[in-house]
Amino acid sequence: MCGRDVKRERLPKKVMAVAHRMVSDVPGSALPDLLNLHLTLFLSICSLLHREAEGFKEQGNAFYIKKDYAEAFNYYTKAIDMCPKNASYYGNRAATLMMLCRYREALEDSQQAVRLDNTFMKGHLREGKCHLSLGNAMAASRCFQRVLELDPDNSQAQQELKNAESILEYERMAEIGFEKRDFRMVVFCMDRALEPASACHRFKILKAECLALLGRYPEAQSVASDILRMDSTNADALYVRGLCLYYEDCIDKAVQFFVQALRMAPDHDKARLACRNAKALKAKKEEGNKAFKEGNFEAAYDLYSEALTIDPNNIKTNAKLYCNRATVGSKLKKLEQAIEDCTKAIKLDETYIKAYLRRAQCYMDTEQYEEAVRDYEKVYQTEKTKEHKHLLKNAQLELKKSKRKDYYKVLGVEKNATEDEIKKAYRKRALLHHPDRHSGASPEVQKEEEKKFKEVGEAFSVLSDPKKKSRYDSGQDLEDDGMNMGGQYPGNPWISVFQLLTCLSFVSASGPGNFFFQFG
């Protein structure tokens, strides 16, 4: 006999109540006939309801075949309303809900179906698939095992049971990967697990969190946003949205999401920790910036160092902190430390132009021109501005100049040395390396001193001539415009020390100019 809904459940009682009233006025001999009449009427009503329910089911089946699942759902619902105790109707509606990706509702219908009929294999299969889609692999396994109890050769249940076992294995691997901070492994495992468990928010959130920790913020944001479209109160998704903003150095917006997540789930430990870190990081960074603006570089350096210890996972913010500390380091003349900080910043964020520029300037200040050129080339390839082009050309010029003899170093003077300082340095170096002073030395030493003596004379011939010095300082070739050096320097190794001293005295008295000594 067909089942009844809530209203129709009361129908027999009403019939019996009417029958009781009628019976009280009917002679005893007529009672059996009257009861039979009412029973026949009741059975007729149930039969009519059953036929109507079957009609709705057939219409639902027709729409299901046409893949019009919304209409199929409506007709299966009508069938259930007519006969709420029919397991197959719940099973059919569960199948439709699964096609509509409404797995939680489908799970409820499947569970109702097997409660009504524990031998209903399709009901157990659908319940298992719903559990599987929602990521509940253990519950799914129990459902598929029940199907195999009813039908040991059921190939579908056997395959789905393997899928459930694979999900459990991927969960185990992901847990280990997360503990080891192997976030790529976790993403891989979650991608594999989501193939059969496509509606599992837990797997999606874990994947999104790891994507954020890997710096793949747009992907992480996309996953979290998809979940929030379906469930705007999902605390885990709100946390991931905040985490992405936090790692992109949008601290204020990130805090808003963390606070919202904590409203939804006050015991959300990750959101609470991230919120605390975000606020602490912002405060410490702002303290460092304030100290720097006030010229208190030592304090700024310490504050940026403290900020860097707050959250090693915040790559983008930490890159900025390293670059800020490098700027302070350059002010404090800690150039090598500044270069190291810039390198750390670039390692965290390879697109961080400011860090490349800061490091390049530090390389320039330490005369590491090849490294400076390499950084400026990287910057100019990324942002082709006039300023960057100028910086690159200047570094290339300094590199070209550095590959020539450094006449300032040969004479031992600064690049801003005066004419008198250049003359005095020349006299000192020329006497120091003159061959006569090393006549008793080994042939190797004599050769080396002779070479240095020539270089001293060559350096003086350039730096004592304003025109040549200007061309040399600007990086131009001295051989251009006939300004060659052949035979035009007072570095002839065969001049005696006495002659040299006489010449030097003359040079000192004659003042600057183009006076050179030639010895034939």
Side-chain angles (χ1 to χ4, degrees):
M1 183 172 64
C2 173
R4 298 168 298 276
D5 62 14
V6 177
K7 291 181 179 179
R8 293 184 182 93
E9 280 287 341
R10 293 195 292 269
L11 181 60
K13 294 181 181 178
K14 290 181 178 179
V15 171
M16 293 306 293
V18 172
H20 179 73
R21 286 196 300 271
M22 294 176 68
V23 166
S24 62
D25 299 327
V26 174
S29 60
L31 279 176
D33 292 335
L34 184 60
L35 289 175
N36 285 334
L37 175 63
H38 286 299
L39 180 60
T40 301
L41 178 62
F42 177 72
L43 292 175
S44 296
I45 292 172
C46 288
S47 177
L48 179 63
L49 291 175
H50 178 69
R51 285 197 301 273
E52 189 175 358
E54 281 294 302
F56 287 139
K57 185 193 79 169
E58 293 302 324
Q59 287 178 284
N61 291 347
F63 282 112
Y64 187 93
I65 292 170
K66 294 177 183 178
K67 299 184 179 180
D68 187 346
Y69 302 116
E71 279 302 309
F73 170 83
N74 291 334
Y75 280 99
Y76 289 139
T77 301
K78 290 178 181 180
I80 290 171
D81 288 341
M82 290 294 168
C83 291
K85 300 297 184 182
N86 190 304
S88 67
Y89 296 168
Y90 286 100
N92 287 2
R93 192 170 71 173
T96 303
L97 287 166
M98 290 170 68
M99 298 306 295
L100 293 169
C101 297
R102 292 160 59 179
Y103 294 102
R104 295 191 183 281
E105 297 170 76
L107 177 62
E108 293 175 6
D109 274 357
S110 299
Q111 289 173 329
Q112 178 63 14
V114 297
R115 275 196 292 269
L116 293 170
D117 182 0
N118 195 37
T119 64
F120 185 29
M121 278 199 304
K122 286 185 178 180
H124 287 295
L125 268 174
R126 286 166 186 159
E127 181 186 357
K129 285 184 178 181
C130 289
H131 279 307
L132 205 62
S133 295
L134 294 167
N136 303 320
M138 289 294 292
S141 296
R142 289 193 291 270
C143 295
F144 299 134
Q145 286 167 352
R146 173 58 181 159
V147 173
L148 292 173
E149 289 174 6
L150 297 169
D151 180 10
D153 297 325
N154 192 300
S155 59
Q156 190 176 2
Q158 291 171 353
Q159 181 58 50
E160 295 294 357
L161 187 59
K162 289 179 181 179
N163 290 339
E165 291 169 352
S166 69
I167 287 178
L168 291 171
E169 178 61 18
Y170 283 128
E171 282 190 85
R172 187 188 68 81
M173 292 169 61
E175 185 178 354
I176 294 171
F178 197 90
E179 288 176 0
K180 294 182 177 180
R181 301 186 64 78
D182 187 352
F183 302 125
R184 286 184 176 80
M185 171 60 75
V186 179
V187 171
F188 171 82
C189 290
M190 290 301 94
D191 279 337
R192 301 288 84 75
L194 281 165
E195 289 174 5
S198 58
C200 182
H201 286 181
R202 182 164 49 91
F203 293 168
K204 290 179 180 179
I205 287 295
L206 181 56
K207 174 185 174 180
E209 182 179 1
C210 289
L211 286 171
L213 292 168
L214 288 168
R216 294 160 62 179
Y217 308 122
E219 295 173 74
Q221 288 270 30
S222 177
V223 174
S225 296
D226 286 344
I227 293 173
L228 288 171
R229 274 193 288 271
M230 292 181 281
D231 179 9
S232 61
T233 64
N234 190 296
D236 291 325
L238 290 167
Y239 160 71
V240 170
R241 283 292 306 275
L243 196 65
C244 291
L245 290 165
Y246 170 56
Y247 286 156
E248 289 183 293
D249 202 33
C250 300
I251 304 296
D252 291 332
K253 288 183 179 180
V255 168
Q256 292 175 9
F257 275 97
F258 294 144
V259 170
Q260 193 175 352
L262 288 168
R263 286 200 195 102
M264 299 299 109
D267 296 330
H268 202 295
D269 293 334
K270 288 184 177 180
R272 183 179 294 105
L273 176 61
C275 191
R276 185 168 66 243
N277 285 344
K279 290 178 179 178
L281 198 55
K282 181 186 177 184
K284 195 64 69 175
K285 182 181 175 184
E286 288 178 349
E287 286 182 58
N289 292 345
K290 182 180 178 183
F292 178 79
K293 289 176 182 177
E294 293 173 351
N296 193 349
F297 301 132
E298 290 287 356
Y301 193 92
D302 292 339
L303 287 164
Y304 289 138
S305 299
E306 289 175 28
L308 282 164
T309 65
I310 293 174
D311 186 1
N313 293 325
N314 195 323
I315 293 171
K316 203 157 189 176
T317 301
N318 287 344
K320 291 182 179 180
L321 289 169
Y322 275 120
C323 192
N324 287 1
R325 194 170 74 173
T327 302
V328 178
S330 66
K331 294 286 186 182
L332 296 170
K333 304 303 179 185
K334 300 177 180 179
L335 293 176
E336 291 301 326
Q337 288 174 298
I339 289 171
E340 185 179 342
D341 276 347
C342 288
T343 301
K344 289 178 179 177
I346 291 167
K347 187 176 181 181
L348 292 175
D349 183 1
E350 293 182 353
T351 66
Y352 195 9
I353 295 298
K354 189 176 179 181
Y356 283 104
L357 288 170
R358 172 58 56 194
R359 187 172 69 174
Q361 183 57 57
C362 290
Y363 280 140
M364 293 291 286
D365 293 340
T366 54
E367 299 184 358
Q368 300 180 65
Y369 300 119
E370 287 188 7
E371 290 82 356
V373 167
R374 187 165 58 246
D375 277 353
Y376 282 133
E377 284 177 340
K378 174 73 174 178
V379 170
Y380 186 64
Q381 288 170 2
T382 306
E383 295 181 358
K384 296 185 184 300
T385 67
K386 289 183 179 180
E387 181 186 358
H388 295 161
K389 185 177 182 179
H390 172 73
L391 290 169
L392 174 58
K393 283 190 172 183
N394 184 55
Q396 290 170 334
L397 176 60
E398 291 300 323
L399 175 60
K400 179 182 177 182
K401 289 162 64 175
S402 72
K403 291 183 180 296
R404 305 175 307 175
K405 291 178 183 177
D406 189 336
Y407 290 144
Y408 292 101
K409 283 187 179 180
V410 170
L411 293 183
V413 296
E414 297 294 329
K415 292 183 179 181
N416 57 355
T418 65
E419 292 177 0
D420 285 341
E421 288 172 337
I422 289 172
K423 288 176 184 176
K424 288 178 183 178
Y426 168 61
R427 286 198 295 271
K428 182 178 178 181
R429 292 297 175 101
L431 288 172
L432 179 64
H433 298 296
H434 193 281
D436 286 354
R437 294 189 56 146
H438 304 283
S439 58
S442 66
E444 291 79 10
V445 172
Q446 289 184 27
K447 187 175 181 181
E448 182 63 27
E449 292 299 324
E450 179 183 330
K451 178 183 176 184
K452 290 180 179 178
F453 183 66
K454 287 182 177 181
E455 287 178 346
V456 168
E458 184 180 333
F460 180 69
S461 70
V462 172
L463 299 183
S464 63
D465 183 318
K467 192 173 182 180
K468 286 186 179 181
K469 183 176 183 297
S470 176
R471 292 178 64 83
Y472 176 79
D473 288 342
S474 65
Q476 298 181 55
D477 292 328
L478 296 175
E479 290 77 10
D480 294 348
D481 301 329
M483 299 182 68
N484 63 72
M485 299 290 297
Q488 294 290 8
Y489 60 89
N492 192 315
W494 305 116
I495 185 173
S496 67
V497 172
F498 175 75
Q499 289 173 307
L500 177 62
L501 289 171
T502 302
C503 295
L504 291 174
S505 297
F506 181 80
V507 170
S508 178
S510 63
N514 291 323
F515 189 89
F516 299 103
F517 298 91
Q518 293 178 304
F519 299 90

